[in-house]
Amino acid sequence: QAFDGWKTLKNERISPGGTYITYEIQPHKGDTYLYWYNTETGVLDSVLRAKNAGFSEKEDYLIYIIEAGYDTLRTVELDKVDKKKWPKDSLAVYSFSKGETEKIANVKEHKIGEKHAWLSYVEHDNEIKEDKKADTSKKTSKKKKKGKAEPKKEKEPKSDGKVLRLWNLEDGKKHAFKNVTDYSISEKGEVLTYVQNVDDTC
């Protein structure tokens, strides 16, 4: 039982300018805590179930992964739930200036630019969902005409790729690409190259 109470310090990181230090405290059983310390003010903060932290180029954002709770994962494991249906990780983007966190669900992997402002991440799905806040005025005016069947939607080609999203943390610009299996961003963030997989055979 004493062994279950042991804790491990891991993944220590220092921000590019040395203003912040992050590290994780991971118990043998239970959820991991991510801590970050401001070397200038002496303020220490933390968040539960967080790991793999990194900093934006200008130290204005802290990006990390939020995982499902230990008890949740233990339950689905004991229930022998298919791993494809296990709870997915989320990506968290914390703004030091605003003190606010934006969470992005269903993230498979992510990368933070060391010499540019682009945050890139790949989702588990391959569908670019529409913005829920989009204008819905057109929907209310649509009426089905009698005697005319709606045209069938063409099936989209199959793909092994996923949705790749880019977010410029400096100016807020966002981009999304479907069917991506691999990608790379140049050192200074000027060029994006990516590979798409599409099976367009009938």
Side-chain angles (χ1 to χ4, degrees), residues 46-113:
S46 65
V47 61
L48 181 63
R49 295 188 291 107
K51 63 180 183 179
N52 299 340
F55 297 91
S56 59
E57 177 197 14
K58 295 184 177 180
E59 298 187 325
D60 43 1
Y61 289 94
L62 175 68
I63 297 96
Y64 55 89
I65 289 293
I66 299 178
E67 57 186 356
Y70 175 86
D71 291 337
T72 300
L73 295 176
R74 182 63 175 159
T75 298
V76 295
E77 182 180 15
L78 293 175
D79 291 343
K80 297 182 179 179
V81 176
D82 188 332
K83 281 202 171 183
K84 292 181 180 179
K85 297 181 180 180
W86 281 29
K88 303 295 191 298
D89 291 340
S90 295
L91 185 65
V93 182
Y94 176 75
S95 169
F96 286 109
S97 61
K98 297 178 181 178
E100 298 175 353
T101 303
E102 182 169 340
K103 298 178 182 178
I104 306 164
N106 202 35
V107 172
K108 184 178 181 182
E109 60 183 69
H110 74 283
K111 296 178 183 178
I112 309 167

Side-chain angles (χ1 to χ4, degrees), residues 91-145:
L91 185 65
V93 182
Y94 176 75
S95 169
F96 286 109
S97 61
K98 297 178 181 178
E100 298 175 353
T101 303
E102 182 169 340
K103 298 178 182 178
I104 306 164
N106 202 35
V107 172
K108 184 178 181 182
E109 60 183 69
H110 74 283
K111 296 178 183 178
I112 309 167
E114 293 184 2
K115 296 183 179 181
H116 58 78
W118 290 104
L119 165 65
S120 58
Y121 56 94
V122 177
E123 299 179 346
H124 282 278
D125 299 325
N126 192 31
E127 178 184 358
I128 299 178
K129 297 178 180 179
E130 294 182 5
D131 189 352
K132 293 180 180 179
K133 297 180 181 179
D135 184 16
T136 58
S137 58
K138 293 182 180 180
K139 294 181 181 180
T140 58
S141 61
K142 285 184 178 180
K143 292 182 180 179
K144 291 184 179 180
K145 294 182 179 180

Side-chain angles (χ1 to χ4, degrees), residues 135-194:
D135 184 16
T136 58
S137 58
K138 293 182 180 180
K139 294 181 181 180
T140 58
S141 61
K142 285 184 178 180
K143 292 182 180 179
K144 291 184 179 180
K145 294 182 179 180
K146 294 181 180 180
K148 289 188 177 182
E150 293 184 3
K152 292 183 179 179
K153 292 182 179 179
E154 293 184 5
K155 291 184 178 179
E156 290 192 12
K158 294 181 180 180
S159 173
D160 293 330
K162 304 296 181 184
V163 170
L164 164 67
R165 293 187 184 271
L166 302 181
W167 178 6
N168 191 304
L169 297 174
E170 195 168 291
D171 60 21
K173 292 181 180 178
K174 296 182 180 181
H175 305 279
F177 307 88
K178 290 179 62 174
N179 310 318
V180 177
T181 56
D182 194 15
Y183 75 98
S184 177
I185 301 177
S186 60
E187 185 179 16
K188 294 185 179 180
E190 298 169 335
V191 179
L192 164 71
T193 58
Y194 61 93

